[in-house]
Amino acid sequence: MTERIRPTDFVAALLVGLLGLLLSSLHVAHVVVHDKPLLATVVGVVFPLALSLVLCYAAVWAIRRRFAAGYTVRLGVWTALGAVAITAVVGTITAHQLLAGHLPADAGFQLATAATGGALGGFLVGVYDVRNQRRADRIEALQRATSRFVEAETHDDVCELIVDLAASELEMPFTAAWLYDEESNTLDPVAITDDGAAVFEEPPVYRAGEGLSWEAFENGSTHVFPDLREEPGRYNEDTPVRSEMILPLGTHGVLNVGSREPDAFDDVDVSTAKLLASAAGAVLDRVDRESELRSQRRALERQNDRLEEFSSIVSHDLRNPLSVAQGYLEVAQDACDSDALAEVEASHQRMEVLISDLLAFARADDAVDPADVTRVDLEAIAWKAWGMVDTEGATLEVDAQAEGLTVLANASRLQQVLENLFRNALEHGPGDRGSTGDLTVRVTPLADDAGFAVEDDGVGIPPTDRQQVFDSGYSTRADGTGLGLGTVERICESHGWTISVTDSSTDGARFEIRTGTTDSSG
C-alpha cells in the first residue's frame, strides 16, 4: 500500500537484503573455485546463486509494498527462522561427515546453499502468514468500526466515517466517497481523506456516462485498476492516481480508493475494501430507514396534535353552544307545545350521540399506558358495561367457562369495548325493525383460551359487509354514526389485540377478540 514504512520495518527488510547479498557473495565465490562438470556447476552453484538474488529482490519488494508496522518485521523473522532451520538440518549431516573424517571440501558452500533455500522458503511462508494476518487485522478493524457507524444519522456522517476508517485502520490514505443526487443525476463528492484533499483540491462531480466511477455505480460492480493511466475511460487524462479501486455503496454512490503507485493493491486490500463498502451501503440503507421513520413519527405527532385540537373543539366548542340551545329549547317547550320542538330535541340528542362517539373514536388510538394495564375480571366488567347500556327487553348471559376468566387490559377501555359491542347488538336486534325484542347477548371465552367473544342471536352480519363494519362512518342504520365498531377496533389495536366478526351458533353476529392474555386459573 502507500503508508510510509516505519524504521523497524526498513531495518528488517534491510537485514533480509544483506542476508541475500552475503549468500550471493558466497555463491559467487563458489563459482570461482568450483571445478566440477557443467551440470554439477549449474545445480550446485548457479541455481543457489539465483535463489540468493531472488532473496535480495524479496527485500526490495517488501520495501516497495510498504506493509504496515510489524508486518515487514514478521517477514524478516520468518526468513531468519527458515534459514536457521534448514541450515541446522544440513549442518547435522556436515557434522556427521566431519566426525567420520569425510568432510567435503565444499561443505561450507553446501551450508550456504541450505541457508539460501531455507531463507527464501521462510520468506514465502512469511508472505502467506502476513497476508492472513493483514486480512484478520482488517476485519477486526471493520468490526470495531461498527460501533461508530451507529452514531451516524446522515449520509454525510456515514461517508466521513468511511473515509476516516479507510485512512486510519485500513492503510488507505487516498479514499473518497461520492453519493448519487437523484435530482441532478450526478455523483457528488461528500467526503475525502486529508491526504486525498492535499492531492485533489476539488474532487470532480461525475455526470451520467462520465468516467469509470459512473460506470461502476451504474453496473453495481467493483472495478480494480492496476494502472489507471492505461484505462481509456478515465475521467482525468493527467490523473496523479496510478492504482484505483472503485466500489459501489449499494444504490447510494461509490467509494474510490487510490494510490500514486501502480499495482498497489493486493487481494487483501480488495477484499477488505469490498467489506467496507458493503458495510457502508448497509449503514446508508439504515440511515434512510431511520430518516423515513423520523419523518413518519413527526407526521404522526402533528396528526395527534391536530386530533387533540379536534377533540377539544368537539368536547367544548360544540357542546357549549349545544347546551345553550338545549336550555332555550326547554324554555320554548314550557311556553308552547309543538311537534317541531320535539324534532329539535331529537336533533339535539342526535348531536350529543355524535359528539360522544366522535370523542370516543378519536381517543381510541391513544397508547395504552402499561401502568394502567392489570388483570381484569371479564365477567365483572361485562356486567358493569351492560349496566351502562339501555338493555330493556334484552338478556346478557356470561358463559360459565368465563367465570374467573381474567384479561390483561386497561379496565376502562375494556369496558368501553364491551359497551360498544353490546350497543351494536341491541341496535341491530332480532328482525328487521331494529327493536331489542327477546335478544340474548352472550360473553364466552374462545376455545383456545386466547381471548373472548361477544355474540348474539340477532339478524347477524352478511359476509359481504364484514370487511366494512369496522370502517369509520359505516352503518346500516339511518341514525347510526358508524363509529362504535371502529372505536372497538382501535381500542383492540392499542392493546395489541385482534378482532374479527363471524356468525354465532344462532346465526347472529359473533365478534372474536384475541388477546393472547386470558387466564382462567380463577
Side-chain angles (χ1 to χ4, degrees), residues 220-260:
S221 57
T222 298
H223 292 185
V224 181
F225 304 104
D227 193 342
L228 198 59
R229 294 181 183 178
E230 296 179 359
E231 299 299 326
R234 65 186 183 277
Y235 182 82
N236 181 6
E237 292 289 333
D238 301 321
T239 177
V241 175
R242 297 296 300 276
S243 304
E244 187 172 46
M245 291 186 287
I246 306 177
L247 309 105
L249 299 173
T251 60
H252 302 279
V254 293
L255 181 70
N256 287 16
V257 181
S259 172
R260 304 184 74 170

Side-chain angles (χ1 to χ4, degrees), residues 116-350:
T116 300
L120 189 58
F123 184 87
L124 294 176
V125 171
V127 170
Y128 177 78
D129 175 62
V130 163
R131 195 177 296 268
N132 288 338
Q133 187 61 45
R134 287 178 63 222
R135 181 178 285 108
D137 291 345
R138 295 281 184 83
I139 293 174
E140 184 180 349
L142 288 175
Q143 291 173 337
R144 289 197 304 268
T146 55
S147 60
R148 298 171 59 192
F149 279 139
V150 174
E151 303 170 0
E153 295 184 355
T154 67
H155 285 182
D156 288 2
D157 291 342
V158 175
C159 291
E160 289 288 351
L161 285 172
I162 294 169
V163 299
D164 178 64
L165 172 65
S168 62
E169 299 288 347
L170 303 185
E171 312 156 46
M172 299 175 180
F174 292 98
T175 303
W178 279 258
L179 292 181
Y180 177 65
D181 187 327
E182 188 173 358
E183 292 185 3
S184 61
N185 194 31
T186 57
L187 287 172
D188 298 338
V190 293
I192 188 170
T193 58
D194 293 339
D195 288 352
V199 175
F200 306 98
E201 295 182 1
E202 187 175 349
V205 174
Y206 297 116
R207 292 175 173 79
E210 289 184 346
L212 302 171
S213 294
W214 185 273
E215 181 181 347
F217 170 70
E218 196 171 47
N219 295 338
S221 57
T222 298
H223 292 185
V224 181
F225 304 104
D227 193 342
L228 198 59
R229 294 181 183 178
E230 296 179 359
E231 299 299 326
R234 65 186 183 277
Y235 182 82
N236 181 6
E237 292 289 333
D238 301 321
T239 177
V241 175
R242 297 296 300 276
S243 304
E244 187 172 46
M245 291 186 287
I246 306 177
L247 309 105
L249 299 173
T251 60
H252 302 279
V254 293
L255 181 70
N256 287 16
V257 181
S259 172
R260 304 184 74 170
E261 298 177 2
D263 196 22
F265 305 113
D266 59 15
D267 61 328
V268 175
D269 297 318
V270 175
S271 62
T272 51
K274 284 182 177 180
L275 285 175
L276 174 63
S278 177
V283 175
L284 289 169
D285 289 339
R286 188 264 298 167
V287 168
D288 279 347
R289 290 193 298 270
E290 290 185 352
S291 177
E292 183 177 355
L293 287 174
R294 284 194 294 270
S295 297
Q296 292 175 351
R297 190 179 298 113
R298 287 193 293 269
L300 185 59
E301 289 173 353
R302 290 193 296 269
Q303 181 179 343
N304 288 339
D305 290 341
R306 289 194 296 268
L307 192 58
E308 285 293 328
E309 183 179 0
F310 167 75
S311 298
S312 177
I313 292 173
V314 171
S315 181
H316 300 94
D317 296 357
L318 288 183
R319 271 185 167 153
N320 287 341
L322 182 61
S323 298
V324 173
Q326 184 64 26
Y328 280 110
L329 174 63
E330 292 173 359
V331 172
Q333 288 175 327
D334 291 340
C336 64
D337 185 13
S338 172
D339 291 341
L341 294 179
E343 291 296 327
V344 171
E345 184 176 20
S347 295
H348 284 179
Q349 293 173 349
R350 170 68 174 160

